[in-house]
Amino acid sequence: MRESYLCRTPEEMENLGKEYGKKAKKGTVISLRGSLGAGKTVFARGLARALGINESIVSPTFTLIQEYDGSLKMYHMDLYRLSSEEDFIALGGEDFLYSDGVCLIEWSEIIDEMLPSGTLFVNIKINEDQSRIVEVTDERSRS
Ligand SMILES: Nc1ncnc2c1ncn2[C@@H]1O[C@H](COP(=O)(O)OP(=O)(O)OP(=O)(O)O)[C@@H](O)[C@H]1O
Ligand SMILES: [Mg+2]
């Protein structure tokens, strides 16, 4: 599976997140990829809204993981500051990869090997005009 979208504005990115939120199930894991400011958190916000979560969604950079209660639980991680897989395990992160909720992970490259099969990869690229190309795939080998 490989799908591509063009998001011209943050609103369009949020709406795309909402669409994936509607399809999310218990145990869904989504790896959000793209450079700083690509729009990973905007996508996560939209997904949260689809689960009926109305709190503000920001990158949990300093908390590592943020939990939200919606129609499904949402676990939002940002591993930017994590230095190893071992740290992830020590912090109990593995439980969230096999949970009763939806797990969204920004900067998951460091735990690539641990991501469950079936993980959805959302790859965001910034265009010169600030629009975003979003490619969603469940394939591990990607460019
Ligand atoms: N087409 C677009 N889609 C998404 N965001 C956009 C778009 N155009 C501009 N933006 C802006 O880009 C920023 C994206 O920020 P966001 O926090 O979602 O990035 P991020 O990928 O989570 O970055 P970080 O790695 O720092 O957590 C927002 O300020 C948003 O308003
Ligand atoms: Mg972010």
Side-chain angles (χ1 to χ4, degrees):
M1 186 274 274
R2 191 176 282 266
E3 283 161 357
S4 284
Y5 306 90
L6 173 67
C7 293
R8 282 160 297 190
T9 62
E11 290 71 32
E12 287 186 4
M13 182 68 78
E14 194 166 323
N15 284 331
L16 184 61
K18 273 185 199 162
E19 290 310 311
Y20 280 88
K22 290 180 199 161
K23 293 190 245 180
K25 300 184 182 75
K26 286 184 180 180
T28 294
V29 176
I30 299 180
S31 166
L32 297 165
R33 307 205 162 188
S35 55
L36 284 168
K40 302 181 290 295
T41 300
V42 173
F43 183 99
R45 179 178 308 131
L47 197 142
R49 298 297 177 254
L51 301 179
I53 297 160
N54 296 314
E55 289 157 76
S56 66
I57 307 292
V58 292
S59 273
T61 309
F62 295 99
T63 47
L64 192 75
I65 175 152
Q66 198 78 55
E67 286 189 42
Y68 301 94
D69 262 317
S71 52
L72 289 173
K73 287 214 178 216
M74 180 175 124
Y75 306 107
H76 184 197
M77 299 190 212
D78 184 323
L79 307 183
Y80 193 69
R81 287 183 155 68
L82 197 80
S83 44
S84 69
E85 258 186 13
E86 287 70 29
D87 284 357
F88 183 76
I89 293 165
L91 289 160
E94 226 176 341
D95 291 349
F96 299 103
L97 301 177
Y98 301 91
S99 78
D100 57 350
V102 183
C103 182
L104 299 180
I105 318 173
E106 299 188 31
W107 300 105
S108 67
E109 284 80 354
I110 196 156
I111 59 151
D112 243 352
E113 304 294 310
M114 294 179 69
L115 292 171
S117 62
T119 295
L120 220 49
F121 296 90
V122 174
N123 302 297
I124 307 173
K125 293 209 175 73
I126 308 179
N127 293 321
E128 253 171 57
D129 66 359
Q130 293 308 305
S131 65
R132 309 300 202 251
I133 298 285
V134 185
E135 194 184 67
V136 184
T137 177
D138 56 4
E139 290 157 40
R140 219 151 251 277
S141 52
R142 13 153 244 108
S143 58

